[in-house]
Amino acid sequence: TLLTGSYNILLGSGVTMDSRNSRGDNLPSSGQLRRDLCNIVGAPNTTSLTRISGLLTNEQRDEALTQRFSECSPGPSLRHVPRFLWRRLFTFNIDDVLENLYAGDGNAKQTLVPINFNAPFEPTPNKSELLTIHLHGWVRNPDIGYVFSASEYVRIMTGLNPWMHVLSEILATEPFIIAGTSLNEVDLEYYLSHRTSATPRRGRGPSLLVQPDPDVVTRADCERYGLVLVHATFGDFMDWLHSEFPSPPNIVDLVVPDTSAMFSSQPKPIELIKFFSDFELVQAADMPLPGVPSRFMYGREPEWRDLYQHLDIERKDNSLLIDDIKQRLASNTIEEHQVVIILDEAGTGKTTTVKRVAHDLALSGTTVLSVCTNSRIDTETAKECLKHISTKVLLLVDGIADHVEQIVELLEEPNVVSKTLVLGTERSYRRGYLDVVFGNAGFTIHNLRKLSAEECEQLLERYRRFGLVGEHDAIQNPSRFARQLIGDPVAIAVCRIMNDFRPLERIIASLWEASMPDDRLAYLCVALSEHCHKVGIRYSVLQAIAGPKAPIRHLFGPEKPLSLTESPVNDDYVLAANSIVAESVLLRAARSAPETLF
């Protein structure tokens, strides 16, 4: 988790006590700052920081806070922070230590993007940039003010401040390193209130609290919130990390593949980083069937490894599409339609088909790029890099409606359209939107054929091999049972194979009845989100909907009646495990209990 840049970091004043301000003074701890402010206004030394900060005049605030914490030089405790990749950085500190740390480090792996607490929400950028959110204000925006008093906390939290809500949601589920702060601050207690020992996501590194002097309360809080206590100063902890991982990977190592044969002239490194944050280069491999089924067999969208291992079946549409695309790529003229879209209902196998086509074309030497971002494509960078592509390229866009505006913009560039063919998928109910955006440029529609008798037998045999056939007689007479599946969308056929060949409505009813109310709510949220936007819903948002007492992670896996599965594209998202089940459940819920959805 650390080496892939997936850790968030949350810092308090304890990490900057060996940093110095422009006067040459060490920056104070929160306790020392409180006592200093008490002396300034003549209040008792026991007065809390939240109360004393509200008594400062504008002149006192400028002198004691803005000037004192400006133009700071970072201390040795922070020196190794820029050596690692971080997902996001949150800080309670108002100083500019971090900004000066990254600006003065020529080997920093990321560029710092400072954000004050009042700034509008921005999506997480590519890994080359590190959003750094000042939760209490920032000396470079002194006119906005600082957040210390209890009334200011309440006012900002109740005002739907986006960054405070983001932190409260992701702190419950994502891996964090928390340092330089105890757990008894007013706002930190609020952020942690959404977290229990059960809410963190599975398969992620643990969240850590780095604390040099933990007491019994701190230890109890770590147990309560599922935090691993690191008994050390932050500087010692970072020194240890650096000694364990002296050469952590940089962004190019993580993001950019070998492009030596791909470009006629190499784009700039920063352009490559941005480009391969939006696209992945499809690699091809030929591997035997595995000994155990993957999650693809239970309804999840296929990962590339599933294609390498031939877990899918050979469909007639695969060869027809491959022949069509080869002809288009071989043409020396720009076709009327440079976009081919498989437009069909949910559960027909659109994603599996285009991935098989893309894989087989890549295996034969075609350059294939696949969109891998859930956010908007950086079209300017994409144009610049695609200009340098040395051969024609197939661009795979699964769920093309989510990126159609950027695809149209790319194809308006002459140097791009002349060498780019787009292969996309989309559900048929989004046809109207695609027509509007593509306009006169248009696109070619490919509808998948219904499963033939031969394809149904292939499918049944694949599930028999892994022991996933729900009806014993189907093993004895596969041809007869395969005929029952002819004409079904592949997702319905799979559901029936695994559930005694019952009609889909009966399967859905049994799944619904077998699920707990909390499971149903979570599944409906994911299914509805996926219906509207292919990438689904953020894990942290779903956990916030369910609440800290209903951990989402127990809903994953094929053993759950209505299970969820994590997206292979972006680890911020989860998807419904099976699109046809998701849509059928939505229809059932809308008919039987519409108030559940709205």
Side-chain angles (χ1 to χ4, degrees):
T1 303
L2 176 73
L3 297 182
T4 57
S6 299
Y7 260 102
N8 300 279
I9 192 166
L10 176 60
L11 301 178
S13 61
V15 304
T16 58
M17 291 172 60
D18 56 359
S19 299
R20 295 179 180 273
N21 59 21
S22 59
R23 305 167 184 171
D25 300 328
N26 279 50
L27 298 185
S29 65
S30 58
Q32 183 60 52
L33 177 62
R34 177 184 59 80
R35 291 188 291 271
D36 293 345
L37 296 182
C38 287
N39 291 333
I40 290 174
V41 301
N45 283 340
T46 55
T47 307
S48 67
L49 182 60
T50 57
R51 294 188 64 188
I52 199 66
S53 62
L55 302 178
L56 294 172
T57 65
N58 290 337
E59 291 77 12
Q60 290 170 335
R61 184 179 296 260
D62 180 67
E63 173 70 21
L65 297 177
T66 302
Q67 294 186 31
R68 187 176 187 181
F69 288 93
S70 295
E71 300 178 19
C72 297
S73 302
S77 294
L78 296 167
R79 60 180 175 169
H80 294 309
V81 172
R83 302 290 186 272
F84 293 88
L85 296 173
W86 308 104
R87 184 158 181 76
R88 303 176 194 86
L89 195 158
F90 294 87
T91 176
F92 294 125
N93 301 335
I94 65 172
D95 56 59
D96 56 6
V97 170
L98 292 169
E99 288 72 23
N100 293 331
L101 171 70
Y102 273 78
D105 192 327
N107 295 316
K109 285 186 164 56
Q110 292 168 293
T111 300
L112 210 65
V113 180
I115 293 177
N116 209 359
F117 68 89
N118 67 316
F121 175 77
E122 295 182 20
T124 303
N126 63 64
K127 289 182 181 291
S128 66
E129 296 180 334
L130 175 61
L131 294 186
T132 302
I133 300 96
H134 289 266
L135 296 163
H136 287 180
W138 189 33
V139 292
R140 296 188 185 179
N141 289 129
D143 295 338
I144 303 301
Y146 305 111
V147 183
F148 288 125
S149 70
S151 61
E152 289 171 323
Y153 287 136
V154 173
R155 175 177 58 82
I156 292 174
M157 288 178 183
T158 56
L160 298 179
N161 180 276
W163 296 111
M164 292 184 175
H165 280 275
V166 166
L167 178 57
S168 67
E169 289 174 353
I170 66 175
L171 190 56
T173 59
E174 299 300 322
F176 265 81
I177 295 175
I178 306 172
T181 179
S182 62
L183 299 182
N184 60 358
E185 283 87 349
V186 174
D187 49 348
L188 183 53
E189 185 176 353
Y190 163 76
Y191 298 132
L192 287 170
S193 66
H194 297 77
R195 180 186 175 98
T196 69
S197 59
T199 56
R201 296 175 67 179
R202 62 177 187 171
R204 301 295 187 273
S207 289
L208 315 177
L209 175 67
V210 182
Q211 174 61 258
D213 300 306
D215 55 25
V216 65
V217 177
T218 301
R219 295 180 187 277
D221 284 339
C222 287
E223 185 74 21
R224 173 186 174 189
Y225 297 125
L227 301 173
V228 174
L229 179 62
V230 179
H231 191 170
T233 66
F234 185 65
D236 289 341
F237 172 69
M238 292 304 300
D239 286 344
W240 173 80
L241 270 188
H242 182 64
S243 66
E244 291 291 313
F245 309 105
S247 301
N250 56 35
I251 302 166
V252 173
D253 297 331
L254 292 176
V255 175
V256 180
D258 180 9
T259 59
S260 55
M262 181 175 171
F263 296 107
S264 56
S265 59
Q266 285 292 311
K268 299 175 182 177
I270 188 62
E271 291 175 342
L272 287 174
I273 291 171
K274 292 180 178 180
F275 182 75
F276 284 107
S277 295
D278 291 340
F279 302 92
E280 65 175 322
L281 179 63
V282 175
Q283 310 283 352
D286 196 358
M287 302 168 63
L289 272 173
V292 294
S294 75
R295 286 177 288 184
F296 168 61
M297 303 291 289
Y298 293 96
R300 174 186 177 142
E301 291 186 358
E303 298 183 29
W304 289 112
R305 185 178 181 84
D306 298 319
L307 280 303
Y308 302 160
Q309 296 175 329
H310 300 276
L311 282 172
D312 59 324
I313 62 172
E314 292 297 326
R315 299 181 65 173
K316 180 66 174 176
D317 285 293
N318 297 353
S319 56
L320 291 175
L321 264 175
I322 288 175
D323 291 342
D324 179 36
I325 289 170
K326 282 184 175 179
Q327 290 179 14
R328 292 171 182 267
L329 290 172
S331 173
N332 292 324
T333 61
I334 299 177
E335 299 287 341
E336 181 182 355
H337 292 159
Q338 287 295 101
V339 181
V340 178
I341 300 178
I342 298 181
L343 199 66
D344 223 316
E345 302 296 328
T348 52
K350 301 182 295 297
T351 297
T352 305
T353 296
V354 295
K355 281 198 165 185
R356 167 53 63 193
V357 169
H359 171 272
D360 289 358
L361 287 170
L363 192 63
S364 65
T366 301
T367 300
V368 183
L369 294 167
S370 176
V371 173
C372 63
T373 181
N374 296 319
S375 304
R376 287 181 58 85
I377 297 170
D378 185 340
T379 52
E380 292 305 314
T381 299
K383 288 178 184 178
E384 192 59 36
C385 289
L386 288 172
K387 290 177 185 177
H388 296 276
I389 294 283
S390 56
T391 61
K392 289 190 175 181
V393 61
L394 176 66
L395 182 58
L396 182 64
V397 193
D398 190 22
I400 194 171
D402 296 338
H403 298 288
V404 62
E405 294 178 356
Q406 298 107 68
I407 296 301
V408 170
E409 185 179 344
L410 284 177
L411 295 180
E412 289 173 349
E413 176 66 42
N415 290 331
V416 173
V417 71
S418 62
K419 61 178 70 173
T420 305
L421 176 66
V422 177
L423 174 61
T425 69
E426 195 47 78
R427 297 181 186 179
S428 53
Y429 60 81
R430 292 176 174 169
R431 167 71 186 272
Y433 176 59
L434 295 177
D435 286 336
V436 169
V437 179
F438 276 110
N440 294 331
F443 51 91
T444 300
I445 295 176
H446 182 99
N447 297 115
L448 296 179
R449 291 163 175 75
K450 300 293 186 182
L451 291 177
S452 66
E454 180 183 354
E455 290 167 347
C456 289
E457 289 189 25
Q458 282 187 61
L459 191 64
L460 186 57
E461 170 58 25
R462 185 73 81 245
Y463 278 79
R464 184 204 65 77
R465 174 168 182 154
F466 289 107
L468 298 176
V469 179
E471 176 61 57
H472 176 73
D473 290 345
I475 300 174
Q476 304 299 321
N477 194 341
S479 296
R480 178 166 64 87
F481 277 87
R483 286 195 294 272
Q484 296 183 31
L485 305 176
I486 295 175
D488 279 343
V490 65
I492 291 181
V494 168
C495 287
R496 297 186 65 196
I497 289 171
M498 298 179 68
N499 292 275
D500 303 329
F501 291 83
R502 289 174 291 166
L504 183 64
E505 279 300 313
R506 287 177 55 196
I507 297 172
I508 298 302
S510 65
L511 293 174
W512 187 255
E513 294 302 323
S515 298
M516 301 298 291
D518 288 343
D519 298 6
R520 296 175 185 176
L521 174 62
Y523 195 87
L524 285 173
C525 290
V526 174
L528 187 59
S529 299
E530 186 190 14
H531 182 80
C532 300
H533 186 52
K534 180 177 172 59
V535 295
I537 185 172
R538 285 184 184 274
Y539 189 106
S540 56
V541 173
L542 186 61
Q543 182 63 70
I545 292 171
K549 294 183 179 179
I552 296 300
R553 67 180 183 183
H554 81 282
L555 299 176
F556 289 80
E559 71 282 355
K560 300 297 295 181
L562 291 174
S563 63
L564 308 179
T565 183
E566 295 177 88
S567 164
V569 176
N570 185 306
D571 64 2
D572 268 355
Y573 291 84
V574 293
L575 299 179
N578 187 308
S579 58
I580 200 72
V581 174
E583 291 210 351
S584 299
V585 167
L586 280 175
L587 290 173
R588 176 182 177 83
R591 288 196 302 265
S592 61
E595 69 279 0
T596 305
L597 285 177
F598 307 102

